[in-house]
Amino acid sequence: MRIYLQFIITLSWSVRSFQSALIGEKKKKLYIYLNQVIYIMSDVESGDERPTSRRTAGGQNEEQELASKMLQIQSKRFYLDVKENPRGRFIKVAEIGADGRRSQIYLALSTAAEFRDHLSSFSDFYSSLGPPNPDTVPEDGKLKSEVMVKANRRYYLDLKENTRGRFLRVSQTISRGGPRSQIAIPAQGMIEFRDALTDLLEEFGTEDGGFRGELPEGRHIRVDNKIFYFDIGQNNRGVFMRISEVKTNFRNAITIPEKSWSRFRDIFGDYVDKMKESGGGGSGSAAGPSSSSVSDIPPPPTSSTTATTSSDRERDPPNK
């Protein structure tokens, strides 16, 4: 691991050295080549080997790369990798900046198809714009925005303009405090990006695999100074419900497999009936309003002081 890291650092230094020492086409070709090596080696360092597959402790394939495309758009390179894990197939989009910095997002195949359609819409809108005019740019720089939702993931698409030009920023967020990641596609390259995505989707389809139905939306209730969140998710073991108890600077959660839901319901029902028979209530009034009537409940805290159980760490990359 240390050798790999030293190798990556050395290559990064070499890129900057050659960038200042060489000129013309030689500089460009060498710069692209060294950055490609850095991308490959950084995948190895992070355990995401290309093009081989990751394996579990039992030796079974956990994640496999099926296809890959590389796009050079202005000074950036984009890798579109079709991968497959036990949950299904997805596309990893990695952006490599001119300085070697890397960012990436994950798209389920069905989400990638929706994103492709949005790229056409954004491209048409971009074509209808006149030359950049600083006097007409909105204060936040956003010219057009859309949102995509997939299970517990949201994707924010913003066509923006700043002093360097116009670009499409794609931000991926995970509900309940997951990390935010984003890429930025130069506006002139949206059509090229869309076409590459279309080629992959035509080859691999738009079915994600795993659970075929629509997962129910999450709900929440407030009880005194606590909020309980009920989220439905899916991993390689199937569908599950995560119940999170959230207070200020505290979070605890349990995960219940779908096959156990009816048993949990029966046990809760038995206790409710027994409390009613003994005069202990059970009417549900103490539990506060339902999720449909609550509009001001904040999201759970995401600070470093948040306590998280091992089940909370099951938040896996998409179907990705």
Side-chain angles (χ1 to χ4, degrees):
M1 290 291 184
R2 184 174 300 176
I3 294 175
Y4 282 136
L5 183 58
Q6 291 175 343
F7 185 58
I8 292 170
I9 294 173
T10 302
L11 283 175
S12 298
W13 177 86
S14 299
V15 168
R16 292 177 176 85
S17 299
F18 277 109
Q19 186 179 12
S20 59
L22 299 179
I23 59 173
E25 193 63 26
K26 285 186 178 181
K27 180 183 75 172
K28 181 179 179 181
K29 289 182 178 179
L30 181 61
Y31 183 66
I32 293 174
Y33 171 74
L34 288 175
N35 269 291
Q36 287 174 333
V37 175
I38 291 174
Y39 174 74
I40 295 172
M41 293 304 299
S42 62
D43 268 349
V44 172
E45 179 68 20
S46 64
D48 188 14
E49 296 88 350
R50 299 168 51 91
T52 56
S53 59
R54 288 209 302 251
R55 295 178 178 272
T56 62
Q60 295 181 337
N61 287 350
E62 184 182 70
E63 187 175 287
Q64 183 177 8
E65 186 174 295
L66 305 179
S68 181
K69 281 182 174 290
M70 193 276 281
L71 303 175
Q72 182 77 39
I73 302 177
Q74 294 183 353
S75 62
K76 296 183 177 182
R77 283 175 298 107
F78 294 89
Y79 289 86
L80 284 67
D81 301 331
V82 180
K83 299 191 170 232
E84 184 173 28
N85 64 19
R87 296 183 61 199
R89 292 177 175 177
F90 59 93
I91 296 178
K92 182 179 78 172
V93 181
E95 171 196 337
I96 311 296
D99 57 358
R101 292 184 183 180
R102 170 180 174 177
S103 56
Q104 59 192 32
I105 62 172
Y106 295 90
L107 301 167
L109 293 185
S110 58
T111 307
E114 183 179 353
F115 180 44
R116 173 198 57 194
D117 296 339
H118 280 304
L119 283 172
S120 295
S121 173
F122 275 95
S123 180
D124 291 342
F125 178 81
Y126 168 70
S127 299
S128 69
L129 297 174
N133 184 351
D135 298 331
T136 61
V137 177
E139 195 171 316
D140 60 0
K142 294 181 181 179
L143 305 174
K144 176 179 172 63
S145 297
E146 295 288 349
V147 178
M148 303 186 301
V149 180
K150 173 67 176 180
N152 66 335
R153 285 175 167 76
R154 285 180 178 269
Y155 299 85
Y156 297 91
L157 315 180
D158 299 306
L159 182 62
K160 303 189 70 176
E161 180 177 330
N162 60 22
T163 56
R164 290 174 292 179
R166 292 166 176 166
F167 60 94
L168 178 65
R169 185 181 66 186
V170 184
S171 303
Q172 173 190 303
T173 64
I174 301 177
S175 62
R176 308 293 182 257
R180 173 187 286 263
S181 55
Q182 63 184 32
I183 62 172
I185 306 171
Q188 298 94 322
M190 288 190 293
I191 289 295
E192 184 180 357
F193 198 101
R194 182 204 63 186
D195 292 344
L197 204 55
T198 298
D199 290 343
L200 293 173
L201 292 172
E202 287 179 351
E203 181 176 356
F204 295 97
T206 58
E207 294 292 333
D208 302 328
F211 180 71
R212 301 289 182 179
E214 185 91 13
L215 292 176
E217 291 187 5
R219 303 184 65 180
H220 49 255
I221 60 173
R222 184 187 293 276
V223 182
D224 299 329
N225 66 336
K226 299 180 182 180
I227 303 174
F228 291 90
Y229 291 89
F230 301 82
D231 295 309
I232 310 301
Q234 179 185 352
N235 59 24
N236 61 322
R237 293 183 292 276
V239 177
F240 60 87
M241 176 188 297
R242 178 177 288 113
I243 303 177
S244 304
E245 172 194 358
V246 178
K247 296 191 297 184
T248 303
N249 293 328
F250 176 81
R251 176 191 179 102
N252 197 16
I254 62 171
T255 300
I256 306 172
E258 182 190 16
K259 62 183 180 182
S260 303
W261 290 0
S262 58
R263 181 60 180 150
F264 268 76
R265 178 200 59 199
D266 295 342
I267 292 174
F268 271 108
D270 288 343
Y271 279 120
V272 170
D273 292 340
K274 288 178 181 179
M275 292 300 291
K276 284 182 179 180
E277 293 171 0
S278 63
S283 63
S285 59
S290 67
S291 61
S292 60
S293 62
V294 177
S295 60
D296 60 345
I297 292 180
T302 60
S303 67
S304 58
T305 58
T306 300
T308 306
T309 64
S310 60
S311 62
D312 245 358
R313 293 192 294 271
E314 290 180 6
R315 208 182 296 279
D316 32 346
N319 218 350
K320 255 174 187 185

